[in-house]
Amino acid sequence: MQASALATATGAATVNEPAARPRRHPLAAEIVGLRKVYGDVVAVDDVSLSIAEGEIFGVLGPNGAGKTTTVECAVGLRNPDAGSIRLLGLDPFADRDELHELVGVQLQASAQPAKLRVGEILALYRSFYRDPADLDELIEVLGLAEKRNVYYRALSGGQRQRLSVALALIGNPRIAVLDEMTTGLDPGARRDAWELIRGIRDRGVTIILVTHFMEEAERLCDRVAFIDAGRVVALDTPAGLSARARDTKVVRFVPSAPFDDAILSAQPEVTRVEHDGSRVVVSGTGDLLNTVIIALHDQGVVAHDVGFDTSNLEDAFVKLTGNRLNQDHLEGARS
Amino acid sequence: MTALTLHVPSPRQRIIFGNVLRNEARLTWRQPVGLVGGLALPVALIMIFGNISTFHHKSSALGGLTPFEVYVPVVIMLGIALIAMMALSMPLVSYREQGILRRLSTTPMPSSWLLAAQVVVQASIAVASTLAVLIVSMVAFGAPSPRSPGGVAVAVLLSIAGLCPLGLLVASFAKTANGASVIGRLMFFPMMFFAGLWLPRAEMPTILRDISNYTPLGAAVQAIQDAILQGFPPATPLLVLAGYAVVLGYLAHRFFRWE
């Protein structure tokens, strides 16, 4: 994975830049005041983002928040109603030919013809680009080597996902836009994908990663934008965002007997009481753990399996938006 | 497609188009809807018709022609119609349905090239099908060689040009590949009626034949029948086909949906 055709895209040194490529632009992407409306539905209300070259930038938010529409506008798949977009200084519509050479895209819900073989699909896409990546190496890195002669229809979900990531990288892009890259991957494959993304970034490729997995953003991203209801509600490093929720603590437990939520929510330290199956999740501040245990004890209720967290990215999101990130009931409603 | 015809492609563009074309040909070979319906079926039909002995008797109702002579052009156009209206539209609709067109539109390859490649592949099958039917009719059943080979070529190319946009229009309006196949079939049967599949054009009442003259397949059968039996076809059917090519081509260009 060292010196290779893939690496030439990165141009980490500005000295030896291929003449055909535009001058190295300090910003990989600059989106200002983006707005996109479908009929009555405001998909993106007002999104502005500046993404530096070489960073892994997370676009995070619940399903339907406008993440996908934002990146689809950025890569020229959709025409925004307002706002301006520059990728590497290029306009997604006016400079689309040049942009498509430099930006690799992995889309949600895009398949390949059932009766093409993995190697054929990759070779076809590779031939579209001026300065493509090394095919054998990419196949190797993405663990598709023994699937090369297999029809697309015979691939598992995870293998299709990896092929789709491979297609995003086959053109040796300067920016890779990955939309829900690890959705549908098992935890092991997800970790492998994260390693892969870090490896690509280390070659200087800018990664724009759309996800609704907190853990993914927390482990992988240099900076994260929270998008909710078509707006950027926060933009910071994962650590910076977590710090904003620093005061928030969470206690999880299984009660020995049912109890009235009011006995907890009446406590000044408690801000929120939720039920997650048989578990109760209490968020709050101060000496939350003792407050909860004592209040329950007074009612003759014992807390089992007690867990205690300080804030993480997910809490920061809840605090900033009042929404939970992984709203499973919305999962199916996503178009 | 206009982009293709309006500028001279660079060597690199030619290589890319060649790859897209090879890929479409590969897929057509592996999912041979067009090859079965457009090539194997017409050849099988002409062999069946050729083996019916009464089909070789001259008939005054057919203006002194044999039913076999009348059916050779009809069978050729049946193959071309199946290719243009079914085999062309179904893969395009399924590419759109599966997000393949969307994905391709983020690459440097213009998506319209995929359409062009499909048209080239299907048109090649249509030409092969025409040759196969003509050769079988001559070799196996002693039909004379066409009086005007150039006329046959013009009639076939104009028929392809007039009918392929219909397939592209079907692909524009159908949401799923199955839908495309249903719409294609609904159009195919009435059009084949006017081509003379059930009732030879010579036996049609005047009013029906007049209508037939202005339908794509009626004009196509008229043109190729003249080219095979008499000489270069008259202007009317060729102009009708050219008119369909221009009007339907424009509509297909205007209404083709990429997503």
Side-chain angles (χ1 to χ4, degrees), chain A residues 249-270:
Chain A
K249 290 160 187 163
V250 177
V251 176
R252 297 184 171 82
F253 61 92
V254 179
S256 61
F259 65 95
D260 184 0
D261 285 359
I263 65 159
L264 294 181
S265 47
Q267 307 295 325
E269 289 90 345
V270 172

Side-chain angles (χ1 to χ4, degrees), chain A residues 1 39 45 139 163 180 214 225 238 255 264 267 314 325:
Chain A
M1 271 181 68
D45 188 9
I139 282 183
L163 174 62
E180 302 286 0
M214 274 297 167
L264 294 181
Q267 307 295 325
E314 173 123 27
L325 195 59

Side-chain angles (χ1 to χ4, degrees), chain B residues 184-214:
Chain B
R185 253 174 284 171
L186 284 175
M187 289 165 49
F188 176 78
F189 287 109
M191 283 175 60
M192 278 315 297
F193 171 81
F194 285 112
L197 182 60
W198 291 280
L199 181 66
R201 281 167 39 82
E203 290 181 14
M204 284 181 186
T206 319
I207 172 92
L208 281 185
R209 192 163 54 236
D210 285 347
I211 296 173
S212 163
N213 286 341
Y214 292 96

